């Protein structure tokens, strides 16, 4: 017999606004081209979009060991917005992990492959957003990567 009385019906979301240290974990997508040579990129099954599959594993506080999954944009055929958001997110991960001042040039921002992001520890702030899946609204976690310029960075 299976007792379902103890099973939570919540979706296990980290609440909006939680600030924590998180480890970046990339999943290899295996999409290799002249532009994406290191195997980290993933190509969408439904469009021409290319992205990094990323988990942020929370390392401290009440939500320690919780994981927030997100994609970091590399390319979209629709516009440069997706790519530009991805560029900013990758820059914020590096600035956060190495406590870099945004106004100072640093060689750690010159990345030769996306694997340098894998394993970095940065400061994040959780977000909850609503997305549609098969016509149904569902809540999903996302993150804002905080950098030394952000008040909440610690």
């Amino acid at each position: 017999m299976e007792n379902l009385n103890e099973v939570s019906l919540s979706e296990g979301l980290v609440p909006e606004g939680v600030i924590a240290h998180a480890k970046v974990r990339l999943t290899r997508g295996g999409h290799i081209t002249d532009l994406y040579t290191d195997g980290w990129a993933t190509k969408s099954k439904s469009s021409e979009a290319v992205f990094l599959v990323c988990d942020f594993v929370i390392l401290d506080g009440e939500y320690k060991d919780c994981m927030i999954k997100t994609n970091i944009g590399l390319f979209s055929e629709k516009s440069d917005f997706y790519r530009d958001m991805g560029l900013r997110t990758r820059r914020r991960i590096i600035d956060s992990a190495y406590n870099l001042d945004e106004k100072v040039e640093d060689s750690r921002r010159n990345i030769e492959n996306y694997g340098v992001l894998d394993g970095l520890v940065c400061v994040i702030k959780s977000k909850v957003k609503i997305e549609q899946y098969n016509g149904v609204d569902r809540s999903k976690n996302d993150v804002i990567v905080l950098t030394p310029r952000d008040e909440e960075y610690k």
Side-chain angles (χ1 to χ4, degrees):
M1 181 161 93
E2 187 174 47
N3 182 354
L4 300 177
N5 290 305
E6 304 285 324
V7 177
S8 170
L9 294 177
S10 74
E11 296 183 41
L13 295 176
V14 176
E16 178 95 20
V18 170
I19 297 169
H21 292 88
K23 186 174 199 170
V24 176
R25 287 195 341 206
L26 297 182
T27 300
R28 287 187 178 274
H31 179 66
I32 298 176
T33 65
D34 291 342
L35 191 56
Y36 309 110
T37 60
D38 59 13
W40 291 104
T42 298
K43 178 157 180 331
S44 171
K45 294 175 182 163
S46 61
S47 72
E48 295 300 311
V50 180
F51 50 89
L52 298 173
V53 175
C54 183
D55 298 332
F56 289 88
V57 180
I58 297 177
L59 301 175
D60 48 25
E62 181 179 349
Y63 297 95
K64 182 179 181 187
D65 297 327
C66 288
M67 184 168 35
I68 299 175
K69 295 180 166 293
T70 191
N71 294 332
I72 300 174
L74 299 175
F75 171 80
S76 171
E77 72 276 14
K78 296 176 185 171
S79 76
D80 291 338
F81 180 76
Y82 187 64
R83 180 206 64 203
D84 293 346
M85 277 183 42
L87 284 167
R88 283 190 295 277
T89 300
R90 293 191 301 278
R91 162 91 185 248
R92 292 179 75 83
I93 289 170
I94 289 171
D95 286 3
S96 181
Y98 296 113
N99 194 24
L100 298 179
D101 183 322
E102 69 178 289
K103 296 177 184 129
V104 176
E105 284 197 37
D106 192 288
S107 62
R108 289 173 283 197
R109 291 190 190 111
N110 302 326
I111 61 174
E112 292 191 25
N113 71 73
Y114 299 119
V116 300
L117 302 173
D118 190 45
L120 291 181
V121 174
C122 58
V123 181
I124 62 158
K125 182 175 184 178
S126 64
K127 291 177 17 178
V128 176
K129 63 184 186 176
I130 307 296
E131 290 186 345
Q132 275 212 347
Y133 295 95
N134 298 323
V136 177
D137 287 346
R138 295 190 61 194
S139 299
K140 177 185 184 308
N141 268 130
D142 202 356
V143 299
I144 299 169
V145 179
L146 301 176
T147 67
R149 78 178 199 165
D150 297 306
E151 271 183 38
E152 297 116 323
Y153 180 82
K154 35 182 158 157

